[in-house]
Amino acid sequence: MEETVFTSAIEGMKHMKSEHDEILTKPFLDVCKMLLPILDKFGAAMVVVKSDINGNIARLDSKYTESPTRFNYLYALVQPELETKTAKNSSSCTNGLLWLTRAMDFLVELFRNLYQHRDWTMQQACIDSYGKTLKKWHGWIASSSFTVAIKLVPDRKKFMEVIASKGDTYADMVIFCESFSPVLAQIHKFLHSCGVDSMKA
């Protein structure tokens, strides 16, 4: 099997859950980290998204590092905050997980657009993904800055050339999206059950 930019994330997902279908903190964060090099290929257009993802990974990772045994499962980061009623604080792990999951929703939707709509420009793919995922949670300022950033996306053909490898990039994109989507849906379901899935920026 020839490797692609998605290979390590696809491999990482195999270790993301316990035998009881619980999401493990470290493997989940590692998979999110593995997407950052792909974001770099978008250049200036994804700088804000990348720094946002980076910040949220760092916040959750630093909490996990405090007690890897206690926070082995992803939801364990949220439980204490629900008990102390700090889950809705902007600096909470709950908030970090929520926004990290939303950013991942955006990326999955973007990759999905790229393989489903081969005739779309990169801008079309980004605008559509943004509209389906992050837009409803963003205020006017965040929304405006995103709209400006999307104008900076690279040409689709160039981007696909930059991330190309000997492997089948499109095929791996499909595998990645189909494997990661259910995990994100599971996190949303959990956050929704805790009443924290509708927080806005």
Side-chain angles (χ1 to χ4, degrees):
M1 273 284 287
E2 297 283 6
E3 294 205 349
T4 68
V5 288
F6 292 97
T7 306
S8 54
I10 291 168
E11 280 305 306
M13 276 190 279
K14 293 176 184 167
H15 313 288
M16 206 192 281
K17 288 189 174 185
S18 72
E19 57 208 28
H20 306 296
D21 202 41
E22 292 164 304
I23 302 167
L24 302 166
T25 306
K26 184 97 175 76
F28 172 74
L29 294 177
D30 285 346
V31 167
C32 294
K33 275 182 207 160
M34 288 165 192
L35 297 178
L36 295 174
I38 304 175
L39 279 185
D40 286 336
K41 310 292 186 236
F42 281 93
M46 294 287 174
V47 168
V48 177
V49 176
K50 187 187 172 188
S51 82
D52 201 45
I53 290 173
N54 243 334
N56 287 321
I57 290 174
R59 182 189 306 182
L60 297 168
D61 204 25
S62 121
K63 192 71 184 167
Y64 166 78
T65 311
E66 281 175 25
S67 177
T69 322
R70 185 183 171 197
F71 299 120
N72 185 31
Y73 297 112
L74 192 60
Y75 302 162
L77 294 166
V78 173
Q79 301 292 9
E81 296 179 345
L82 291 170
E83 286 156 24
T84 55
K85 305 218 178 334
T86 53
K88 293 189 178 182
N89 293 1
S90 61
S91 59
S92 70
C93 283
T94 308
N95 200 41
L97 176 60
L98 175 64
W99 283 102
L100 178 58
T101 308
R102 285 174 177 171
M104 292 297 136
D105 286 337
F106 166 72
L107 292 181
V108 165
E109 205 53 55
L110 175 56
F111 298 140
R112 193 179 275 135
N113 276 341
L114 289 176
Y115 68 73
Q116 283 182 348
H117 305 281
R118 307 280 171 109
D119 56 331
W120 282 12
T121 64
M122 186 61 90
Q123 272 199 12
Q124 274 176 296
C126 285
I127 291 165
D128 182 80
S129 321
Y130 181 65
K132 284 179 184 159
T133 56
L134 289 167
K135 193 175 185 183
K136 61 175 170 288
W137 307 115
H138 276 171
W140 183 79
I141 295 173
S143 209
S144 308
S145 58
F146 204 91
T147 312
V148 171
I150 285 175
K151 295 195 168 97
L152 304 171
V153 292
D155 169 73
R156 181 196 173 117
K157 188 167 173 286
K158 273 203 189 105
F159 174 77
M160 292 308 295
E161 279 166 11
V162 169
I163 66 163
S165 56
K166 289 181 178 154
D168 187 338
T169 306
Y170 277 124
D172 275 5
M173 237 181 225
V174 175
I175 295 168
F176 171 74
C177 292
E178 287 180 357
S179 312
F180 205 35
S181 277
V183 177
L184 299 174
Q186 196 178 331
I187 297 172
H188 280 302
K189 198 174 169 187
F190 166 73
L191 292 172
H192 180 73
S193 73
C194 303
V196 291
D197 198 29
S198 56
M199 291 194 282
K200 293 200 168 185

